[in-house]
Amino acid sequence: KYYKATHIVDSYKNDAGQTVYFNNPKGIFVNDADKENFLFVCDNGNKAIVVYNSKFEHVRTIPAPKSPLLSASSFFPSAIAVDKYGRIFVIADGIFEGIIVLSSNGDFTGYIGTQKTSYTIIDIIWRKFQTDEQRAQQTKQISVPYNNLTVDADGFVYATVSFEGDEYKALRADQLKTIKSKAADYSPVKKLNATGHEIMKRNGFFDPSGEVDVFYADEVSQITDVALGPQGMWTILDYKRSRLFTYDQQGNLIFAFGDGGKVGKGGEL
């Protein structure tokens, strides 16, 4: 209750009985199955998902899934969520097809929630002057990978994405427009059903995506995480401003708090 460490988990046993230590572990998730809590850990560097019980005993290891639609060599899990049916939703570094969905046994079943892409005005004008051959040789626009996710009691997935970097400047402009239009395509947070369709209610004055008092694309919120609260409320984290925004089920802003702070001469905030 004093927020002091009670357990440290840093390793597990492989099939050969050898101790394997975490290699760049990232996302974690705790779910309740059969009245027992299980801890899922994304062991990013070892390309595996490791599962522990409530006593922090190693239960099983889910290796990179085998599928022609997913290369095992590129499976670097970074965020994970598990629904009440045992379905496992995984975000992996460098995977642009959407959120990876695994069965409770760890078998690959598909992707959901693929992001839309966007072009700048310059891209559009340039393509008008290109030949068919040049268009074919041009690098395709790829969607932006999600950066975090969670799942609610009904199995709906909340996922976030951040359009940071020069290559996503056009998407930031689309996110800026989304604040008032409340169109879901370029919103940095989505609520997905089991088939990957966006179903979030956006009935507030603005899109529930963080800061709304912005005028330029580079000022939009950089959303990096989402968490669920009581009575259907949910909260997103704006990394750019170190602020938290909490919304209700209808997409109305309930409250916001936090700040990056400024360091004074004496080192105090």
Side-chain angles (χ1 to χ4, degrees):
K1 65 180 180 179
Y2 299 109
Y3 294 98
K4 291 184 179 180
T6 60
H7 294 82
I8 295 177
V9 181
D10 62 359
S11 62
Y12 53 98
K13 298 288 186 179
N14 61 17
D15 293 339
Q18 301 171 321
T19 299
V20 179
Y21 288 93
F22 287 144
N23 181 3
N24 190 31
K26 289 192 173 182
I28 63 172
F29 188 82
V30 177
N31 83 322
D32 184 357
D34 298 325
K35 297 182 180 179
E36 182 177 3
N37 292 325
F38 289 91
L39 170 66
F40 292 75
V41 181
C42 292
D43 190 5
N44 183 275
N46 288 324
K47 304 177 184 178
I49 297 168
V50 190
V51 187
Y52 299 86
N53 62 20
S54 58
K55 297 179 181 178
F56 299 98
E57 298 168 333
H58 176 230
V59 176
R60 61 180 175 134
T61 301
I62 302 173
K66 298 179 180 179
S67 170
L69 299 177
L70 176 64
S71 172
S73 62
S74 62
F75 183 71
F76 294 95
S78 60
I80 185 171
V82 184
D83 69 11
K84 61 181 180 181
Y85 306 107
R87 290 176 299 191
I88 304 170
F89 303 91
V90 182
I91 292 173
D93 295 340
I95 297 295
F96 299 93
E97 288 81 359
I99 298 171
I100 300 168
V101 184
L102 308 178
S103 69
S104 58
N105 295 323
D107 298 322
F108 176 80
T109 63
Y111 298 99
I112 63 169
T114 303
Q115 298 278 1
K116 285 196 173 183
T117 59
S118 183
Y119 293 88
T120 63
I121 295 297
I122 295 177
D123 291 332
I124 295 172
I125 295 175
W126 172 237
R127 285 178 64 84
K128 287 184 178 295
F129 292 96
Q130 288 179 317
T131 64
D132 292 339
E133 186 178 79
Q134 287 175 322
R135 292 194 189 99
Q137 293 177 346
Q138 187 180 33
T139 302
K140 292 183 178 180
Q141 291 277 354
I142 56 178
S143 61
V144 187
Y146 292 98
N147 55 27
N148 231 316
L149 79 167
T150 191
V151 61
D152 67 14
D154 296 318
F156 297 119
V157 176
Y158 289 72
T160 59
V161 64
S162 178
F163 305 124
E164 290 301 302
D166 292 339
E167 66 273 31
Y168 299 135
K169 187 173 182 179
L171 291 173
R172 288 198 298 277
D174 288 325
Q175 181 182 338
L176 178 64
K177 298 175 185 176
T178 294
I179 293 175
K180 291 186 177 180
S181 70
K182 296 188 286 185
D185 287 344
Y186 302 106
S187 177
V189 59
K190 294 178 173 62
K191 181 179 180 181
L192 309 172
N193 63 15
T195 60
H197 289 101
E198 215 286 332
I199 60 170
M200 180 177 289
K201 294 180 179 179
R202 303 172 186 273
N203 297 328
F205 292 107
F206 301 98
D207 185 65
S209 57
E211 184 59 61
V212 300
D213 189 19
V214 294
F215 299 95
Y216 303 102
D218 288 340
E219 296 178 332
V220 296
S221 290
Q222 182 182 349
I223 305 302
T224 56
D225 203 358
V226 57
L228 305 178
Q231 300 178 350
M233 292 191 298
W234 51 279
T235 300
I236 51 176
L237 171 63
D238 181 0
Y239 179 81
K240 182 185 289 292
R241 296 171 177 79
S242 299
R243 301 198 77 193
L244 295 151
F245 297 83
T246 298
Y247 302 87
D248 65 12
Q249 289 182 335
Q250 297 297 321
N252 296 297
L253 179 65
I254 304 301
F255 54 82
F257 65 94
D259 194 359
K262 295 181 180 180
V263 179
K265 294 182 179 179
E268 74 281 357
L269 290 178

